[in-house]
Amino acid sequence: MILASISSHAAQTPNQFFSDKVLLTLSYARDGDTLTVTRIDRLARSVADLQTIISRLKQKGIALRCTEQPIDTSTAAGKAFLDMLGVFAEFETNLRKERQMEGISAAKAKGIYKGRKASVDREEIMRRLTTGEGKSSIAAALGITRMTVHRIAKEALAAAEK
């Protein structure tokens, strides 16, 4: 038994979605095995992710079963229910995101929400650049990446050209 907790929040592609433990589980699983999870929303956040996972399981001949929901992909009813739950889970996620964005917009309009504070002192970077200090030296001194220094210098140049 392999226990894994998955967050698909940051996943950008199907390959990024799978955690090491899920990949390990899939490598051990054989034709005829059943992957058991507690709830489908812990496995996928969108219908696309869910379909990708199900496709990979089907390719290997692995069924999916949920302990807290009537899902068992070895049956026709279980497959249909899985698809319906996936649609509703994605719908709920989208509604939550919309409400969050509405709340942030309302807070910004009231001046309550200002976003996070800048973690980089742009003025300090520009001051150092104008004195001729190297970008690598600036990055090391301020504890940031060289790419950040390059990006800020590029943005400043573009603003000056306007």
Side-chain angles (χ1 to χ4, degrees):
M1 175 185 284
I2 299 171
L3 298 175
S5 177
I6 303 168
S7 172
S8 60
H9 174 71
Q12 300 298 316
T13 67
N15 289 338
Q16 288 176 319
F17 173 78
F18 293 107
S19 72
D20 291 339
K21 288 185 179 181
V22 172
L23 289 172
L24 181 64
T25 301
L26 291 176
S27 72
Y28 282 127
R30 302 288 179 252
D31 187 16
D33 287 351
T34 300
L35 175 63
T36 303
V37 297
T38 54
R39 294 185 347 242
I40 202 68
D41 65 337
R42 301 308 305 151
L43 186 61
R45 293 284 188 243
S46 70
V47 174
D49 285 343
L50 183 60
Q51 293 301 332
T52 300
I53 294 165
I54 297 302
S55 174
R56 289 180 88 167
L57 293 174
K58 280 182 188 175
Q59 288 172 357
K60 293 191 77 172
I62 303 167
L64 173 68
R65 187 175 73 80
C66 296
T67 58
E68 295 180 15
Q69 296 163 325
I71 297 173
D72 185 348
T73 61
S74 64
T75 68
K79 289 176 190 174
F81 193 72
L82 173 70
D83 288 340
M84 286 187 289
L85 272 182
V87 168
F88 288 118
E90 184 173 7
F91 176 66
E92 182 180 354
T93 298
N94 290 337
L95 284 178
R96 191 176 324 115
K97 285 179 185 177
E98 285 178 12
R99 285 192 304 266
Q100 181 182 14
M101 294 311 298
E102 288 170 1
I104 289 171
S105 294
K108 282 182 178 180
K110 292 178 185 175
I112 298 170
Y113 182 90
K114 296 179 177 38
R116 72 176 177 95
K117 293 182 180 173
S119 58
V120 177
D121 185 351
R122 292 172 175 269
E123 292 170 5
E124 177 65 12
I125 292 170
M126 293 310 300
R127 186 189 64 72
R128 288 175 178 246
L129 284 170
T130 55
T131 64
E133 188 174 347
K135 292 176 180 159
S136 294
S137 173
I138 295 170
L142 298 178
I144 58 176
T145 65
R146 275 189 339 211
M147 199 60 216
T148 300
V149 178
H150 283 281
R151 181 178 40 80
I152 291 171
K154 183 179 176 181
E155 289 170 1
L157 182 63
E161 291 177 352
K162 285 185 179 180

